[in-house]
Amino acid sequence: QVQLVESGGGLVEPGGSLRLSCTASGRPLEEYAIGWFRQGPGLEREFVATISRGGATVSYGDSAKGRFTISRDNDKDTGYLEMNNLTPEDTAVYYCAAKSGWTNSNPARFEHWGRGIQVTVSL
């Protein structure tokens, strides 16, 4: 089965940008739709974005629309989440997930998860 590892997180000032990566091993990432989710302190896991296996279909959660861009490079077995104009409310652990079949915004539908990576937006 596929294993996922997130990278690219860290500390950024408000208004700044980060690009998260999700690198797959074990199985070709092209076999899976990818989702990005986040969980802030004391909050439930929240849908951020998802992209279909070929990359033609994307969708975003309300908090991500207009600021975040999801993409993928199947030749590199890597997915990406470009985040711009970050605010302190974006502070969370961000998770990459993969599922067979179509995209979905429900985290319960995703079969494979990375360990998550911390993103902190602060002065």
Side-chain angles (χ1 to χ4, degrees), residues 6-123:
E6 302 94 341
S7 61
L11 174 65
V12 63
E13 294 186 353
S17 299
L18 280 176
R19 187 176 79 158
L20 304 183
S21 298
C22 173
T23 302
S25 62
R27 297 292 302 172
L29 191 60
E30 65 183 1
E31 296 181 358
Y32 302 92
I34 299 170
W36 285 96
F37 298 84
R38 69 185 187 183
Q39 190 163 13
L43 301 175
E44 294 186 355
R45 194 161 294 189
E46 176 189 5
F47 168 66
V48 176
T50 186
I51 187 168
S52 59
R53 286 173 290 177
T57 302
V58 299
S59 64
Y60 297 92
D62 289 341
S63 63
K65 289 177 182 176
R67 300 187 301 130
F68 295 2
T69 302
I70 190 171
S71 62
R72 64 191 297 159
D73 185 340
N74 286 337
D75 290 339
K76 296 181 179 179
D77 286 322
T78 302
Y80 304 98
L81 183 69
E82 181 78 31
M83 306 186 293
N84 298 311
N85 195 21
L86 287 162
T87 73
E89 288 69 35
D90 295 313
T91 296
V93 177
Y94 284 71
Y95 297 89
C96 172
K99 68 178 297 293
S100 304
W102 298 105
T103 60
N104 202 291
S105 62
N106 184 350
R109 298 289 188 177
F110 284 78
E111 303 132 340
H112 310 284
W113 290 82
R115 292 186 175 183
I117 192 163
Q118 178 70 45
V119 171
T120 302
V121 185
S122 180
L123 292 172

